[in-house]
Amino acid sequence: MNIQASHSTGVFDVEPGRAPVLSFQGVSKSFSHENRSTPAIETINLDIARGEFVAFLGPSGCGKTTLLNLAAGLIKPDNGAVLRDGEPLRGPNTRVGYLTQSDALLPWRTVIANVTLPLEIRRIPRVERQARAMAMLERVGLGAFARHLPGQLSGGMRKRAALARTLVYDPKTLLLDEPFSALDAQARLAMQRQLRELVDELGLTVLLVTHDLNEAIALADRIVVFSKRPARVLEDIDIRHDPSILRQRRTSLDGSLHDRLWSLLENELEAGALR
Amino acid sequence: MSAIVASPSFHVSPSLRLGIGRFLLLAAVLAVWQFAPAYTLIDSLISRPTLVAERIFQWIANGLLIRESIATLSSVIFGLFFGGVAGSFLGLVAGFWRPVGAIVEPWLTGLFALPKSAFIPLFILWFGISGRQHVLFVATVVFFFFFFAMFNGARNVPASWRNLLALSGANAFQSIRILYIPASFGWLLAAMRLAIPHAFVAAISIEVIASRDGLGHLVKTSSAVLDATGTVAAVAWLVALSTTLGATSIKLAESARWNK
Ligand SMILES: Nc1ncnc2c1ncn2[C@@H]1O[C@H](COP(=O)(O)OP(=O)(O)OP(=O)(O)O)[C@@H](O)[C@H]1O
Ligand SMILES: [Mg+2]
């Protein structure tokens, strides 16, 4: 099976001396609101190795999106540094694909014109960008909807169109912010499978923010659990499994991991409620 | 046999019904105007519809109306063009580069509030009474509508869209072309709706005050000799012209829009 085949090729191993794709080094970030500054994240230290699939779990509002925005270079840390391939990040990180909580499709462009947009900006010739966008749309099952406007698609289809746009320029790193939360259970499973296949096939590094424990366990190699705001790392769990275990069955096999994560998050929620 | 009595299917579409209603209202007003008692001052003040219509045909026949319309329309159209281009461009610049916007916005808001017609004498002093000066005045008036449309349009581009372009490495020109201009289209349309009638008002005002041609000049010369028929004819023609131009240009612009 394709999934396991590439899972066992060892693309996850960091080559010695090779800098992590992304590295948060003592990063903190506060937001000021009405002259009061509230910390969103506090002294985060995290290294993301090439080819790793990392899931971020944490209570709502703890600062997960803020972390992704930092990794994307859309905001600057107050303290510490975000390194990309060992170099401090200055300005927007054009090497990542970022699928945000909102799909951000431009409503006046057709689906395919939305998908070609990153290529257009990168000055890829028209014929090539049409071909690449179409191929990516076929992959996410939207080939027949290329000429539709985003307003004519369902929420799930819009998400898939946004995913196609994110992947079309071959970023080696993906930042995914609750990409499947708006989907129904069926569509979510299909998308999860598709994502994992793509990731394995293309050898991508992924940061996935999710509220869904099962999703984190099923997809990720590593799960980072954050505290309530300001976010600190509570747990950093490597869940890479023996490749002989079917990934799809991991969820049911790993009830204990599920329980452990659940109680971690539950404690955080209670702590938050008491404040 | 069907229990339902087949009524003659006389279906009138809603838009047709609306059109008929509007026409009837116009007809009623014209009828009252036409048949109002003769001892009122109507004849000397606002004439009669038949006389007005007669005058309009007469003016069309002798070419006067066409000539004056072309003079007014050219001030309006060129004024809209130059004011629109300048206003949209500066609005875009001010909306895109926030520091620029923060500097110029309060001043332009202040200038916008000035009654522009009060400056017509100054305009004449500066630029004379040529057709070029009419265009300039119309352009000044409509400039503000387009400026604020693009300014607000650009400032209201959602962060998620801006981030999308930033992560693709878009430069300022690409962002403006791909994102800011299309995203401001609805605002521009709204500006056009306001700017077209205002352009006519501006052109007419300056023609009334200082001109040797144009429909405003026609209104003034007619009213100066207490020719009610001529005055009303000129004004009626003007209203028809500005409404037609407004409606067609909005239609044209809207047909280019994505969410109709
Ligand atoms: N631009 C901003 N201005 C002010 N405060 C902000 C801003 N962005 C985020 N915050 C605050 O920072 C905190 C963390 O926000 P963030 O969006 O990172 O949370 P999150 O973990 O992604 O939450 P969720 O799971 O609900 O998406 C929140 O309390 C939020 O109010
Ligand atoms: Mg979030």
Side-chain angles (χ1 to χ4, degrees):
Chain A
M1 184 185 260
N2 148 10
I3 289 173
Q4 276 164 37
S6 50
H7 194 210
S8 52
T9 51
V11 286
F12 301 104
D13 302 323
V14 194
E15 292 156 43
R18 191 84 176 265
V21 180
L22 277 169
S23 172
F24 297 92
Q25 302 202 329
V27 171
S28 51
K29 177 79 191 169
S30 304
F31 291 106
S32 51
H33 181 64
E34 288 168 354
N35 295 329
R36 281 183 40 218
S37 155
T38 38
I41 56 173
E42 217 165 62
T43 2
I44 297 279
N45 286 298
L46 268 180
D47 281 350
I48 315 292
R50 189 167 306 280
E52 239 180 350
F53 195 133
V54 186
F56 284 180
L57 280 174
S60 181
C62 78
K64 304 181 294 296
T65 298
T66 306
L67 270 174
L68 290 199
N69 284 339
L70 284 162
L74 295 173
I75 54 177
K76 288 189 179 63
D78 298 334
N79 288 305
V82 180
L83 308 186
R84 176 190 62 187
D85 301 322
E87 302 271 328
L89 196 54
R90 288 189 195 83
N93 186 349
T94 52
R95 280 184 224 163
V96 299
Y98 190 0
L99 191 57
T100 54
Q101 267 168 300
S102 73
D103 53 49
L105 295 171
L106 302 182
W108 58 86
R109 288 186 155 228
T110 58
V111 169
I112 189 154
N114 265 286
V115 177
T116 53
L117 187 123
L119 302 177
E120 189 181 332
I121 293 169
R122 287 171 167 81
R123 298 204 164 80
I124 309 275
R126 178 182 297 272
V127 178
E128 185 188 339
R129 61 185 194 236
Q130 288 291 325
R132 279 170 68 176
M134 203 57 216
M136 200 46 87
L137 279 174
E138 298 282 359
R139 277 203 91 131
V140 300
L142 284 179
F145 294 89
R147 309 271 161 218
H148 283 58
L149 288 173
Q152 299 167 318
L153 302 188
S154 73
M157 291 158 88
R158 292 168 62 98
K159 269 274 146 109
R160 280 185 280 157
L163 180 65
R165 180 184 58 195
T166 309
L167 292 171
V168 77
Y169 54 94
D170 288 333
K172 290 297 168 224
T173 306
L174 289 184
L175 310 176
L176 307 176
D177 200 350
E178 300 180 34
F180 312 132
S181 57
L183 305 185
D184 64 76
Q186 211 97 46
R188 185 177 319 171
L189 269 178
M191 286 283 289
Q192 287 170 349
R193 191 163 307 139
Q194 213 162 40
L195 173 68
R196 186 70 234 197
E197 277 172 19
L198 276 166
V199 166
D200 288 337
E201 196 179 308
L202 307 172
L204 305 178
T205 310
V206 183
L207 291 188
L208 170 76
V209 169
T210 176
H211 281 131
D212 181 347
L213 287 186
N214 292 324
E215 182 170 284
I217 297 170
L219 289 175
D221 309 310
R222 177 179 163 197
I223 299 181
V224 182
V225 184
F226 293 98
S227 68
K228 64 178 194 301
R229 200 189 71 196
R232 280 169 294 104
V233 178
L234 280 186
E235 282 287 333
D236 192 341
I237 311 165
D238 193 333
I239 59 162
R240 241 179 291 167
H241 270 234
D242 188 313
S244 64
I245 296 175
L246 272 177
R247 180 170 281 276
Q248 279 85 344
R249 291 179 56 205
R250 189 189 264 172
T251 312
S252 52
L253 288 173
D254 223 332
S256 60
L257 174 60
H258 185 281
D259 291 346
R260 183 167 150 220
L261 289 169
W262 183 252
S263 65
L264 267 170
L265 285 171
E266 207 171 34
N267 284 340
E268 275 314 296
L269 288 180
E270 276 167 14
L274 284 176
R275 282 212 308 187
Chain B
M1 277 267 276
S2 167
I4 302 163
V5 180
S7 62
S9 80
F10 187 71
H11 177 72
V12 183
S13 78
S15 64
L16 183 61
R17 217 177 309 156
L18 190 64
I20 292 173
R22 285 174 179 168
F23 176 76
L24 286 179
L25 179 61
L26 175 70
V29 170
L30 288 178
V32 169
W33 179 10
Q34 179 73 29
F35 299 112
Y39 55 79
T40 54
L41 282 171
I42 282 187
D43 285 298
S44 52
L45 289 183
I46 54 170
S47 187
R48 297 281 177 179
T50 42
L51 297 176
V52 169
E54 199 181 311
R55 180 66 65 87
I56 290 177
F57 285 119
Q58 199 183 324
W59 276 350
I60 291 175
N62 70 16
L64 175 72
L65 213 43
I66 308 299
R67 203 166 55 240
E68 306 297 24
S69 298
I70 288 173
T72 301
L73 274 179
S74 70
S75 313
V76 165
I77 289 171
F78 286 112
L80 276 169
F81 176 77
F82 290 115
V85 168
S88 309
F89 177 74
L90 290 178
L92 186 61
V93 168
F96 185 77
W97 283 286
R98 307 222 161 193
V100 179
I103 292 170
V104 300
E105 197 248 5
W107 298 109
L108 282 164
T109 307
L111 288 177
F112 190 28
L114 289 178
K116 254 76 71 187
S117 339
F119 286 82
I120 291 177
L122 271 183
F123 259 79
I124 295 163
L125 197 64
W126 294 336
F127 306 108
I129 61 166
S130 65
R132 232 178 307 147
Q133 159 252 3
H134 294 186
V135 170
L136 190 68
F137 182 65
V138 173
T140 312
V141 169
V142 301
F143 170 88
F144 293 92
F145 295 105
F146 290 97
F147 176 87
F148 285 108
M150 281 310 274
F151 182 66
N152 287 319
R155 289 241 291 209
N156 282 294
V157 170
S160 57
W161 294 353
R162 280 187 272 126
N163 290 342
L164 172 72
L165 281 257
L167 286 181
S168 294
N171 60 32
F173 294 110
Q174 287 176 318
S175 298
I176 285 173
R177 181 173 59 80
I178 292 172
L179 183 57
Y180 283 77
I181 290 176
S184 305
F185 198 75
W187 293 84
L188 269 187
L189 217 56
M192 263 176 67
R193 268 178 215 285
L194 290 171
I196 290 171
H198 277 86
F200 270 96
V201 171
I204 299 304
S205 320
I206 199 158
E207 281 167 1
V208 165
I209 292 176
S211 179
R212 265 174 261 107
D213 49 13
L215 292 169
H217 178 66
L218 189 60
V219 170
K220 187 178 76 172
T221 47
S222 303
S223 64
V225 295
L226 302 180
D227 172 9
T229 307
T231 312
V232 175
V235 170
W237 178 257
L238 185 65
V239 169
L241 206 59
S242 90
T243 320
T244 313
L245 183 75
T248 34
S249 42
I250 296 286
K251 267 234 163 58
L252 273 179
E254 232 157 25
S255 68
R257 200 181 184 187
W258 51 272
N259 62 345
K260 292 175 186 121

